[in-house]
Amino acid sequence: MSKRDKQAVGQRFLSAFRGAGAVEVAPDILLPADTLLDLYGEDIRARAYTSTDPLRGEVMLRPDFTVPVVQMHMAGGAEPARYCYLGEVFRKQDPGEERPANPRDNEYLQAGFELFAHDRQADAEVFALFHRLLAPYGLRAVTGDMGLVMNAVRALPLSDARREALLHHVWRPGRFGRLLERFSRPAAPRTFAKSAAPWAGLRSEAEMKRRMARLIADQKAAPLDPVWTARLDRLFSISAPIPDALAQLSDLAREWPDLEPVIGRVGERSGMLSDLGVAPEAVLFDASHGHRTMEYYDGFTFSFLAQGRADWPPVATGGRYDALTAVLGRGGRAIPAVGGIIRPGLIAELEAA
């Protein structure tokens, strides 16, 4: 499949996004590394291509469009606002990724749409737009809501440090699962021997002493009661058409009332989708969806998957990322935001099949 074919498909989606009221933008390919490091920590180095510029310092090849678009908007964009874009992104395979390595994941074309607005219907509007554009390709639509996972973690009877560790890795199920397993058994005793040797290493002595103090304090934490891991397992196992999933979530909420606000939001969104011509019974709701496949989304999530192509990444993904706008906004200013991307290269392959 030639780049020209992929670009032609991408231009079609870009035109459709402009038709939905979006303004086309073209963020830089090279992004300042410090912004991405502040957002994701050192983990981003395992997934982004880095280089050093004599004037700009450390830079990274654009791993996605959302961060630079949010930065651009938060620097002075009006509200509501809609943006669209078309361009390449560059990602290394995440060592913690469960899906098999695929050369399609290293460098690929993205066509995207982002909506910034205080509008309760924004999630449904964006999903309905993608659903309409992708309808000819027979894709399987999957939705979720990271609010369920985050509220569930926040409700666990854990120390603040352990809870924050789980939330930090909430988008990496392998690490999340290992942490949960460790927190479910008695902490192993730790000792730190004093030494007269001079201090060495990249971290300061004060940083390391704080780290050791946290590790010592962690030894006193009681293991997580199995009832909570069983509830998490029940939550993550919910995968059904939206109306059936809502019934299962409501059953779980009788034991776990912390989930009720998000369940109400899922039900409200279901009604909005129906009003926009999307049949909720034809859309899967997977309670662990965003937990397995995305990062920085903190609310509604969605994917469109190619039937019979288990080795493919999602053809389209998206979701809500309100917290990201607060991190990148001036003075912590946040604007509700939701968006998504389509991979034109995969659509071109489907059209050529």
Side-chain angles (χ1 to χ4, degrees):
M1 190 63 57
S2 71
K3 285 191 174 183
R4 180 179 298 179
D5 295 330
K6 298 175 184 179
Q7 277 285 344
V9 172
Q11 287 294 336
R12 294 206 313 265
F13 287 115
L14 191 65
S15 177
F17 291 149
R18 287 198 297 263
V23 175
E24 185 177 353
V25 293
D28 292 339
I29 290 179
L30 286 177
L31 304 179
D34 56 357
T35 300
L36 296 169
L37 288 168
D38 287 344
L39 280 172
Y40 306 121
E42 291 295 325
D43 288 344
I44 190 64
R45 294 187 188 279
R47 291 170 285 143
Y49 292 96
T50 62
S51 184
T52 302
D53 181 86
L55 298 179
R56 299 175 62 182
E58 189 176 21
V59 293
M60 293 184 177
L61 283 173
R62 182 173 61 208
D64 65 30
F65 279 89
T66 304
V67 168
V69 170
V70 170
Q71 284 184 302
M72 177 201 69
H73 180 79
M74 300 306 287
E79 185 198 343
R82 291 170 169 81
Y83 302 103
C84 62
Y85 47 82
L86 176 67
E88 290 179 314
V89 296
F90 308 85
R91 293 189 181 189
K92 298 177 186 176
Q93 184 82 8
D94 186 344
E97 175 64 58
E98 293 181 340
R99 196 162 32 81
N102 191 319
R104 293 185 183 90
D105 290 345
N106 296 109
E107 175 186 349
Y108 57 91
L109 198 63
Q110 279 189 357
F113 177 91
E114 312 290 342
L115 170 59
F116 296 80
H118 285 84
D119 183 352
R120 295 178 68 86
Q121 293 200 83
D123 291 354
E125 178 188 336
V126 171
F127 181 82
L129 172 62
F130 277 67
H131 189 273
R132 175 174 59 81
L133 295 177
L134 296 170
Y137 304 101
L139 305 176
R140 182 163 62 97
V142 184
T143 62
D145 198 310
M146 281 301 293
L148 284 170
V149 181
M150 291 179 169
N151 278 17
V153 171
R154 293 184 183 114
L156 295 176
L158 293 169
S159 66
D160 290 344
R162 288 188 166 193
R163 193 178 297 111
E164 287 303 315
L166 285 173
L167 287 171
H168 180 71
H169 292 294
V170 73
W171 295 282
R172 300 180 181 90
R175 297 183 190 183
F176 182 93
R178 288 191 292 274
L179 279 174
L180 193 63
E181 182 182 357
R182 180 161 71 83
F183 297 160
S184 299
R185 59 177 186 263
R190 295 174 184 270
T191 57
F192 298 95
K194 293 184 178 181
S195 172
W199 194 264
L202 296 177
R203 297 183 185 274
S204 70
E205 182 174 358
E207 285 180 296
M208 291 306 297
K209 284 183 176 178
R210 286 194 295 270
R211 169 68 174 161
M212 287 187 286
R214 286 196 299 269
L215 291 174
I216 292 171
D218 189 65
Q219 295 178 86
K220 301 176 183 177
L224 187 65
D225 191 305
V227 70
W228 292 100
T229 53
R231 286 175 182 172
L232 277 174
D233 288 342
R234 283 176 60 193
L235 175 63
F236 291 151
S237 69
I238 294 174
S239 181
I242 291 176
D244 296 337
L246 278 168
Q248 295 177 48
L249 287 168
S250 296
D251 286 342
L252 182 57
R254 293 190 183 97
E255 303 172 31
W256 211 343
D258 303 86
L259 305 182
E260 288 178 353
V262 184
I263 296 170
R265 191 166 67 219
V266 174
E268 181 182 45
R269 187 186 304 125
S270 176
M272 292 176 180
L273 288 176
S274 182
D275 292 342
L276 291 170
V278 178
E281 61 272 15
V283 178
L284 193 73
F285 184 90
D286 183 342
S288 65
H289 175 247
H291 173 57
R292 288 200 311 266
T293 60
M294 303 178 183
E295 56 190 305
Y296 65 65
Y297 292 118
D298 55 1
F300 174 57
T301 60
F302 66 84
S303 292
F304 288 84
L305 309 175
Q307 307 275 13
R309 308 278 184 139
D311 61 323
W312 277 24
V315 175
T317 58
R320 175 163 291 279
Y321 50 89
D322 295 353
L324 184 63
T325 70
V327 173
L328 296 176
R330 293 179 177 177
R333 182 174 67 98
I335 295 178
V338 59
I341 64 96
I342 296 172
R343 295 176 63 146
L346 297 181
I347 293 292
E349 290 189 49
L350 288 173
E351 291 181 343

